[in-house]
Amino acid sequence: FNKDFLNLDYKVISNEINEKGFFSFDKALTENFVDQILNDVNSAGLSLNNNNVGGVYYTHGNQFFFSHLLAVSKSFFNYCTSNKILDFCSDYFKEKYRLKCLRYYENFGGQNMQWHTDNKSQTNKNDTRGLIIIVYLSDVFDGEFQFIEGSQEWSSKNQVNDYNNDYINKNFSKDIVSFKKKAGSIVIYNTYGIHRAKPSKDKDFIRKSLFIQIDENLDVATPLYINTEFIENL
């Protein structure tokens, strides 16, 4: 993390998420961190004809996912276990929480992501309170992340996870917040908040991001493969 973000009181993060549903900070991560993550992903490559973890292409080639960074990237391990992350999570959740899923991903031009929430559990119930942390690994001035400010308050009262574009534009267009930011910028949001990646028609567009989800459900998570060489302090 950059010095300015490290010096920020973690309670400011929690308070903004509770008030607006999200928190953001420009260039919170260093250029060295961004470069190291990209190098680690490139070194891992695709999960094809190799005896190691790798990435996959998804949704007709519109996205690239790599879900096992804890197995290949010491920089990512240090990021996930940093005191800054743990401090504001402890303040936000108060008691128990866990890392639920993680990934490096790339969104390509032509993708049309639906407005949705991320609080749906494997039991198909909207019962999981959590946080998403996104870090841009490339400059994003097109196809950026968008969030409906305040939507975490009312979406949590229904059993709907997906929302069509006409409904959002008709009822909540004034509440749409777009995050056009430089590489290293961070966005943290409530999993009940409605969001999407803004569609981009630029065929050459690529948005590179890190994603981690942290929530209160200790029983359900994606498999987390960790290189034990990274663990220095249990």
Side-chain angles (χ1 to χ4, degrees):
F1 293 105
N2 281 316
K3 184 178 180 181
D4 288 343
F5 185 75
L6 286 174
N7 289 336
L8 181 70
D9 187 343
Y10 60 82
K11 289 186 177 296
V12 172
I13 301 174
S14 299
N15 291 339
E16 284 205 23
I17 295 172
N18 286 328
E19 179 183 348
K20 299 187 297 183
F22 66 87
F23 166 88
S24 69
F25 197 97
D26 291 347
K27 301 182 74 172
L29 282 300
T30 65
E31 291 182 9
N32 182 64
F33 172 81
V34 171
D35 290 341
Q36 188 60 61
I37 294 296
L38 293 175
N39 287 336
D40 291 339
V41 171
N42 288 334
S43 296
L46 284 171
S47 182
L48 181 67
N49 295 329
N50 66 58
N51 192 30
N52 204 345
V53 294
V56 298
Y57 284 98
Y58 181 65
T59 316
H60 306 293
N62 285 333
Q63 286 183 311
F64 172 79
F65 278 79
F66 185 79
S67 301
H68 302 303
L69 279 166
L70 288 173
V72 302
S73 177
K74 181 66 159 61
S75 294
F76 183 77
F77 178 88
N78 290 341
Y79 160 74
C80 283
T81 59
S82 65
N83 288 333
K84 196 68 178 179
I85 296 287
L86 296 176
D87 283 345
F88 77 73
C89 283
S90 295
D91 184 63
Y92 183 82
F93 291 106
K94 306 305 181 186
E95 297 181 2
K96 58 187 181 179
Y97 56 90
R98 69 167 293 169
L99 181 62
K100 180 173 184 175
C101 61
L102 59 97
R103 57 183 170 269
Y104 164 92
Y105 66 98
E106 298 177 1
N107 283 345
F108 303 120
Q111 184 187 28
N112 190 7
M113 182 180 292
Q114 188 170 5
W115 291 99
H116 65 282
T117 67
D118 288 328
N119 57 294
K120 188 175 182 179
S121 71
Q122 289 187 0
T123 58
N124 294 320
K125 295 180 180 179
N126 297 4
D127 57 1
T128 306
R129 178 173 176 263
L131 293 175
I132 304 290
I133 306 175
I134 291 177
V135 174
Y136 286 169
L137 298 177
S138 58
D139 293 345
V140 179
F141 298 105
D142 185 22
E144 71 274 11
F145 176 79
Q146 294 183 307
F147 188 92
I148 309 298
E149 183 172 345
S151 58
Q152 76 284 355
E153 296 293 340
W154 52 267
S155 75
S156 62
K157 299 174 183 178
N158 59 48
Q159 292 293 313
V160 178
N161 293 99
D162 297 319
Y163 299 81
N164 67 55
N165 196 46
D166 290 339
Y167 173 80
I168 294 297
N169 286 335
K170 180 180 178 180
N171 296 282
F172 303 102
S173 59
K174 70 181 188 310
D175 300 318
I176 298 174
V177 181
S178 292
F179 297 86
K180 295 183 177 182
K181 295 181 178 295
K182 290 277 193 177
S185 298
I186 195 168
V187 180
I188 307 169
Y189 63 92
N190 185 315
T191 53
Y192 285 101
I194 300 171
H195 61 279
R196 70 171 183 178
K198 185 179 180 180
S200 171
K201 296 181 180 179
D202 182 358
K203 294 181 179 180
D204 296 324
F205 163 80
I206 302 177
R207 190 188 98 187
K208 301 178 180 180
S209 306
L210 282 182
F211 172 106
I212 63 175
Q213 181 168 347
I214 303 155
D215 65 37
E216 295 177 327
N217 187 335
L218 304 188
D219 299 322
V220 179
T222 59
L224 302 179
Y225 302 125
I226 302 174
N227 185 338
T228 56
E229 294 178 357
F230 300 159
I231 303 174
E232 298 175 350
N233 184 1
L234 287 175

